[in-house]
Amino acid sequence: MIKKILKIVGIAIVVLILAAIAIPYFFKDKIIAKVKTELNKQLTARVDFKDVDISLFRHFPRLAVGLEELQVIGTGEFAADTLLSVKQIDVALNLMSVIKGDKMDIYNIALLQPRIHAIVNKDGAANWNITKPDTAAVNPADTGKSTFALRLQQYKIEDAWIDYDDRQGNMELLVTGLNHQGKGDFTQDQFLLQTSTTASGITFRYGLIPYLSQVKTSLDAAIQVDNNSNTYTFKDGKASLNNLELALQGFFKLVNDSTYGMDMSFKAPSTNFKDLLSLIPAVYKTDFDKIKTSGTAAFGGFVKGTYSPVQMPAFGLDLSVKDGFFQYPDLPKPVKNIQIAMKISNPDGVPDHTVIDMPTGHLEMDNTPLDLRMLIKTPVSDLYVDAAAKGKLDLSKITQFVKLESGTNLSGLLDADISARGNMSAIEKQQYDRFYAAGTLQLSNMLYKSKDYPDGVKVNNLSLQFNPKNVTVKDLNGQYLGTNFEANGEVNNLLAYTFKNEPLDGQMNFKADEINLNKWMGTTSTTSSTPAAAQKDSAAAVPFAVPANLNLGLQANVNKIHYDKADLTNVSGKLLVKDETVTIQQLKANALQGTMEINGSYSTKASKINPDINLAYDVQNLDVQQTFNTFNTVQKLMPIGKFLSGKITSQLTMHGKLGKDMSPDLSTLTGDGSLLLVQGFLKQFAPVDQLANSLNISQLKDISLRDIKNYFSFENGRVKVNPFKVTVNGIRMDIAGSHGFDQSLDYTLQLALPRSLMGTAGNTLVNNLASQAQSKGIPVQLGDSVRLQVLMAGNILKPSVKTDLRETANNLKSQAAELVKNKIDTVKNTVKDSLNQIKNTAVNSLKNELKNQLSGKKDSSQTSSSKPLENVGKQAGESVKNTLNGLFGKKKPAADSTKH
């Protein structure tokens, strides 16, 4: 009996285990369909995920559902932006709610490695507005038909990355390494939510000013949740920014999907200067726990009001430091007498009412003072600035005060005395008498080295002169990556660039002795030693991104530029950097034993990964072999160059995209151009060699060529060559067709061959072709010269020459028709030329006759002066008759000597 019971129990356990394993799979398709249906109902964005992982064991007894590799991609103007990507969303569900299908109860949610990129464009549109309009107000009865029931008790977010980029407000918040979790009874309308948050780094920028940089952050807060009013009230919130601790209180209210109400305040309980000092990255990064400090500080602020696409809340920030002092124990000198008073205020949320006031900013390094002050008002309507900076600094002594990152060297002398006061409108209207700006900034003998710049950046001299109109760069010279450079020019809107993030406008003249662009662009001609290293290098490679906030013109003169495998000398031209695009204008250089002129553009505005390129060049007398071996693109466009020596002249226009390695993406290239082979020698070219062997004509091997010009176009990976003519050793060839970037061939050659050049095998082939044509009813009379058509296929290294008799015989018929057409066209043109000549003769005769009549003179040479047109008519008849006889080979019969 006991054995039977144990057996029954054992069987039951096995059945339950098998059921636990099998049940999730029975409902997998149903769950996937339900998830996708709900997402499509709610969102306008493109949503996709790789798979759904279902298990009864991971959250037993609840059903665990994992959504793998979820992506939410925007639409419209945000179609290229990924709003959200999540490695996995792990959800715990009530199994019975899934089986019944009328609702799904959710108990727990976890987001693993979410990546959120929230964007507000310059017009105020947000990429997260992807939910479809709420129909609850139109159809109230539908509110009871929800298929989801939320019984959430806890949630968590692991290793999140969040980037909030407000391009309209010119601010950005970047959060890395975010971990967050919350616990509470979400089934209640009102409950207490316990949250814990940490982030490895928070960076906040407003304009060009970075207020926070990679600040380590934590937040523990108890939040009173009121679902009836969508209000979240902070109770005893505690936050930390590096060493600075803050107390938080207030509330946050969700009004609708894009509008939020808030009344939050924060304050640092501690007045220790060291805690505030921790917000400076360079100081906090190295041995911060060992640093000695003194002095007091205060830090606090608030945010109050409504945030929406058209409104901002009021805000304020107060910061003060008195008698600040810090010194590293193993460094000889302190930074002392630090005095800071700064207040940022906005009373009503109107951006133009923001005021930044820092009346005092002072510190001393080695008893050398540095003083700053700044007042900014009306930043939107008409920026007002009243600022000044004065101080001298020996950069080599900074290491005596502050620890720099390992491997960093810095030296040089900085001397600045700058002041500015007035409204930006005065500069924009060129009313320079209403704006005060004066001072100089001098930097000499500066050398900076770091792990990012191991070769160092050296500035021998930088001299800036400030005036109301602009900032004049009187002199800039230095060395970078083996290049000696010098520059001068002017910058016209430094204040608008600094405080309003407007594009920096200026004109510069630049000279350099030698530039190795392979080093400047971070590329190398050598390959990685291992496949793994090559794959890593390829993954890490990204194209050069053109800055978005520049509008600079650069007139450049460089003695020599080395790029890839090419050396360009006597380089001159103009570069314009504007709207995330570098435009090249009339860049001229000597290269590859010839000359070149290049116009074009390189843009990363549409894509940072695949830049757009436009190129137009005009090259003269370039060496074919050097050009072919130097540029990969030429090898694809003109593969015959491998077997050709000599000089070419070419014009080309092209547009397309580059890949991550800055090489052209051949599938995107479209363009056209012309190519003139000034003189050259074709040797060991397989397609021509095979043709020479087929026709038994040795003269087609090792061909000397001169003044051959053709026109071509390319797209979709193929180069189309327009018909052109070549005459080699008495052999005329009409050539047309195409070849692919994969070096496949599709060409047609029409040859006019003197039979005397063909050997026995070649003449036998021609005779066979003629016999084949006659058998098809095409009369062929072979003369001293024959016309053939040859089809070339295969690829450039292994070509195939088609000499099929039937195919070639059929071509003979079309050739005959073509010959007749050409003959008729020739007759038309010749007769036309003759008639034009006769017309001119008649007009001249009439002119002379009229002149003689008016003057009363007679032309003694004319036997019938009264009938000039009759004489012209006779001449016309003879001329046309002779012309036709000459064209069709007719001759006048010889005179019969027997007749008298």
Side-chain angles (χ1 to χ4, degrees):
M1 187 66 160
I2 296 177
K3 290 183 178 180
K4 289 184 178 181
I5 294 174
L6 291 176
K7 185 176 181 180
I8 293 172
V9 172
I11 293 173
I13 292 174
V14 171
V15 170
L16 288 174
I17 292 175
L18 292 176
I21 297 174
I23 285 175
Y25 293 97
F26 294 158
F27 298 98
K28 181 175 181 177
D29 292 340
K30 186 176 182 179
I31 293 175
I32 291 176
K34 180 70 71 174
V35 171
K36 288 189 175 182
T37 299
E38 289 298 326
L39 289 173
N40 289 329
K41 282 182 179 180
Q42 302 297 328
L43 304 177
T44 60
R46 291 181 292 145
V47 181
D48 192 16
F49 52 87
K50 185 177 181 180
D51 195 11
V52 173
D53 176 34
I54 304 175
S55 172
L56 261 178
F57 298 101
R58 194 162 67 244
H59 298 304
F60 187 81
R62 298 186 177 105
L63 178 67
V65 179
L67 202 61
E68 306 288 341
E69 298 184 18
L70 172 70
Q71 283 192 330
V72 180
I73 301 174
T75 58
E77 63 181 305
F78 300 111
D81 299 308
T82 300
L83 169 63
L84 170 67
S85 67
V86 186
K87 184 176 181 180
Q88 184 186 54
I89 300 178
D90 188 24
V91 181
L93 299 168
N94 182 304
L95 178 60
M96 293 307 298
S97 70
V98 177
I99 296 174
K100 292 179 180 179
D102 58 341
K103 66 177 181 177
M104 287 190 184
D105 294 342
I106 301 176
Y107 293 98
N108 180 68
I109 298 177
L111 275 67
L112 307 180
Q113 295 185 9
R115 301 292 183 262
I116 301 171
H117 190 192
I119 302 173
V120 179
N121 69 9
K122 293 183 179 180
D123 298 326
N127 70 334
W128 61 83
N129 288 332
I130 59 174
T131 56
K132 292 181 179 179
D134 189 1
T135 59
V138 179
N139 302 302
D142 291 343
T143 58
K145 298 180 180 180
S146 173
T147 57
F148 280 89
L150 190 65
R151 299 183 184 274
L152 191 63
Q153 296 179 1
Q154 63 180 6
Y155 66 91
K156 68 177 179 178
I157 300 172
E158 291 184 3
D159 191 21
W161 178 93
I162 302 173
D163 185 7
Y164 172 73
D165 186 3
D166 186 345
R167 297 166 184 173
Q168 184 184 49
N170 192 20
M171 68 176 70
E172 183 175 17
L173 173 66
L174 177 64
V175 183
T176 59
L178 175 67
N179 293 286
H180 171 79
Q181 62 180 6
K183 293 182 180 181
D185 188 358
F186 284 81
T187 61
Q188 303 297 318
D189 290 335
Q190 296 182 355
F191 65 95
L192 187 65
L193 176 63
Q194 298 286 348
T195 66
S196 176
T197 307
T198 61
S200 61
I202 291 183
T203 300
F204 176 69
R205 170 192 62 80
Y206 184 73
L208 290 180
I209 302 175
Y211 291 93
L212 300 174
S213 178
Q214 285 297 306
V215 175
K216 186 178 180 180
T217 306
S218 67
L219 170 63
D220 294 320
I223 303 174
Q224 184 65 43
V225 178
D226 186 343
N227 285 323
N228 294 323
S229 61
N230 290 323
T231 302
Y232 309 91
T233 304
F234 285 78
K235 293 186 175 182
D236 301 325
K238 295 180 180 179
S240 66
L241 305 174
N242 287 344
N243 263 42
L244 179 65
E245 293 186 355
L246 297 174
L248 300 175
Q249 62 180 11
F251 70 85
F252 180 89
K253 182 176 183 178
L254 176 63
V255 179
N256 55 48
D257 289 343
S258 59
T259 304
Y260 315 97
M262 60 195 75
D263 185 357
M264 302 287 297
S265 64
F266 57 90
K267 184 177 181 181
S270 170
T271 60
N272 191 335
F273 169 64
K274 183 176 183 178
D275 296 335
L276 187 63
L277 186 66
S278 70
L279 297 183
I280 301 176
V283 177
Y284 184 76
K285 204 168 186 179
T286 308
D287 294 339
F288 182 77
D289 56 332
K290 300 178 182 178
I291 199 170
K292 299 177 181 179
T293 66
S294 64
T296 60
F299 182 76
F302 72 92
V303 180
K304 183 177 183 179
T306 301
Y307 174 85
S308 73
V310 295
Q311 187 177 0
M312 289 181 60
F315 59 89
L317 177 70
D318 288 314
L319 169 66
S320 67
V321 176
K322 294 183 179 180
D323 302 325
F325 167 101
F326 73 89
Q327 182 179 11
Y328 288 92
D330 51 349
L331 293 183
K333 297 181 179 180
V335 178
K336 60 182 181 180
N337 198 14
I338 302 173
Q339 313 288 341
I340 299 175
M342 183 173 72
K343 184 175 184 179
I344 302 174
S345 63
N346 183 295
D348 52 15
V350 178
D352 199 41
H353 296 168
T354 302
V355 176
I356 302 175
D357 187 13
M358 187 178 73
T360 301
H362 176 89
L363 62 83
E364 296 175 10
M365 303 175 70
D366 196 24
N367 296 319
T368 300
L370 174 63
D371 288 286
L372 304 169
R373 64 173 177 82
M374 179 175 62
L375 174 64
I376 297 175
K377 297 189 295 185
T378 58
V380 178
S381 61
D382 187 8
L383 176 67
Y384 175 83
V385 176
D386 183 2
K390 183 177 182 180
K392 295 182 180 181
L393 184 61
D394 184 348
L395 300 179
S396 64
K397 294 183 178 181
I398 286 183
T399 56
Q400 299 179 8
F401 308 97
V402 179
K403 286 190 173 183
L404 302 180
E405 188 175 359
S406 178
T408 301
N409 295 320
L410 182 62
S411 63
L413 297 175
L414 175 65
D415 188 353
D417 187 357
I418 309 165
S419 60
R421 182 176 64 255
N423 290 91
M424 284 297 302
S425 60
I427 299 177
E428 294 169 353
K429 297 176 182 179
Q430 298 184 359
Q431 298 173 344
Y432 302 120
D433 58 325
R434 297 177 55 190
F435 190 91
Y436 173 82
T440 60
L441 184 148
Q442 189 78 30
L443 178 63
S444 57
N445 298 321
M446 189 208 80
L447 176 63
Y448 173 73
K449 288 185 177 183
S450 69
K451 65 178 182 180
D452 294 327
Y453 298 92
D455 294 324
V457 180
K458 186 176 182 181
V459 176
N460 299 324
N461 187 57
L462 171 62
S463 179
L464 303 180
Q465 182 75 45
F466 292 79
N467 57 71
K469 182 179 180 181
N470 55 35
V471 178
T472 302
V473 183
K474 299 178 65 176
D475 179 37
L476 168 61
N477 66 81
Q479 294 85 39
Y480 178 60
L481 293 177
T483 298
N484 295 297
F485 63 87
E486 59 182 69
N488 60 68
E490 59 186 29
V491 178
N492 299 319
N493 64 334
L494 184 61
L495 290 176
Y497 171 74
T498 303
F499 295 108
K500 300 180 70 175
N501 199 32
E502 292 184 2
L504 183 64
D505 177 79
Q507 296 292 327
M508 298 290 292
N509 299 307
F510 177 85
K511 293 182 179 180
D513 57 352
E514 182 174 351
I515 297 178
N516 186 337
L517 281 181
N518 295 335
K519 291 183 178 180
W520 283 56
M521 298 174 68
T523 60
T524 176
S525 60
T526 60
T527 58
S528 299
S529 57
T530 65
Q535 185 176 1
K536 181 179 179 181
D537 292 342
S538 176
V542 291
F544 163 71
V546 183
N549 56 342
L550 293 180
N551 184 9
L552 295 178
L554 184 68
Q555 184 66 47
N557 289 275
V558 183
N559 294 340
K560 181 179 179 180
I561 293 179
H562 179 74
Y563 173 60
D564 199 4
K565 304 172 185 177
D567 287 317
L568 286 68
T569 59
N570 299 324
V571 182
S572 65
K574 187 174 183 179
L575 301 180
L576 177 63
V577 183
K578 182 179 181 181
D579 199 22
E580 300 183 66
T581 301
V582 177
T583 302
I584 304 172
Q585 299 176 344
Q586 294 184 323
L587 181 66
K588 299 179 180 180
N590 299 327
L592 307 170
Q593 301 183 23
T595 62
M596 62 174 58
E597 179 177 328
I598 300 174
N599 293 274
S601 65
Y602 167 93
S603 177
T604 52
K605 182 177 182 180
S607 172
K608 302 297 186 293
I609 303 300
N610 297 109
D612 292 291
I613 57 169
N614 285 278
L615 179 68
Y617 74 58
D618 185 347
V619 299
Q620 304 286 328
N621 295 308
L622 265 60
D623 182 83
V624 177
Q625 280 294 300
Q626 289 188 24
T627 304
F628 180 86
N629 292 322
T630 298
F631 299 111
N632 293 333
T633 307
V634 174
Q635 296 173 15
K636 301 297 183 181
L637 292 175
M638 193 180 74
I640 195 175
K642 182 178 181 180
F643 312 94
L644 190 65
S645 61
K647 298 282 188 177
I648 58 170
T649 290
S650 177
Q651 292 80 39
L652 177 142
T653 59
M654 176 179 70
H655 62 85
K657 290 182 175 293
L658 299 183
K660 287 184 177 182
D661 60 351
M662 299 288 286
S663 296
D665 182 351
L666 298 177
S667 64
T668 67
L669 294 186
T670 302
D672 55 58
S674 65
L675 186 144
L676 170 64
L677 180 63
V678 180
Q679 60 182 10
F681 193 77
L682 184 63
K683 187 175 182 180
Q684 296 181 346
F685 184 47
V688 175
D689 286 352
Q690 187 167 335
L691 177 62
N693 292 331
S694 299
L695 299 176
N696 197 207
I697 300 177
S698 61
Q699 289 85 345
L700 288 177
K701 295 185 178 181
D702 300 345
I703 301 174
S704 178
L705 303 169
R706 185 178 182 88
D707 296 336
I708 297 174
K709 188 170 186 177
N710 60 31
Y711 295 88
F712 60 88
S713 61
F714 53 92
E715 64 178 340
N716 299 324
R718 292 202 70 81
V719 180
K720 179 183 178 182
V721 178
N722 292 352
F724 68 98
K725 299 177 181 179
V726 179
T727 301
V728 179
N729 297 326
I731 303 172
R732 173 177 167 177
M733 293 184 285
D734 295 324
I735 305 172
S738 68
H739 61 267
F741 290 161
D742 58 358
Q743 301 202 351
S744 59
L745 297 177
D746 184 11
Y747 277 90
T748 300
L749 284 71
Q750 292 186 357
L751 290 78
L753 295 172
R755 297 193 69 177
S756 60
L757 297 179
M758 294 188 292
T760 303
N763 278 286
T764 301
L765 173 63
V766 170
N767 291 330
N768 290 336
L769 291 174
S771 299
Q772 187 75 12
Q774 290 172 351
S775 68
K776 297 295 183 180
I778 303 174
V780 176
Q781 296 294 330
L782 294 176
D784 295 335
S785 179
V786 295
R787 293 175 61 87
L788 296 176
Q789 179 164 288
V790 179
L791 302 179
M792 283 189 176
N795 63 65
I796 202 166
L797 296 178
K798 293 183 179 181
S800 64
V801 177
K802 294 185 179 180
T803 55
D804 182 78
L805 296 180
R806 179 185 300 176
E807 186 172 330
T808 308
N810 290 336
N811 286 333
L812 285 174
K813 184 175 181 179
S814 63
Q815 291 170 13
E818 185 67 22
L819 284 172
V820 173
K821 180 180 182 299
N822 291 339
K823 201 72 172 178
I824 293 173
D825 291 341
T826 303
V827 171
K828 288 180 179 179
N829 292 332
T830 305
V831 172
K832 182 179 178 182
D833 292 341
S834 299
L835 291 176
N836 286 334
Q837 183 178 1
I838 294 168
K839 175 184 175 184
N840 294 333
T841 302
V843 172
N844 291 332
S845 298
L846 287 173
K847 284 183 178 179
N848 291 334
E849 178 63 20
L850 181 61
K851 181 178 180 182
N852 291 335
Q853 291 291 337
L854 292 175
S855 62
K857 295 181 180 180
K858 295 183 178 180
D859 190 348
S860 60
S861 66
Q862 291 181 339
T863 59
S864 302
S865 60
S866 61
K867 299 179 180 180
L869 291 178
E870 181 180 330
N871 295 333
V872 172
K874 292 180 179 180
Q875 295 173 13
E878 290 295 325
S879 177
V880 172
K881 180 180 179 181
N882 293 335
T883 298
L884 295 176
N885 287 337
L887 287 171
F888 291 102
K890 295 182 179 180
K891 298 181 180 179
K892 291 181 179 180
D896 189 350
S897 60
T898 62
K899 292 184 179 181
H900 298 281

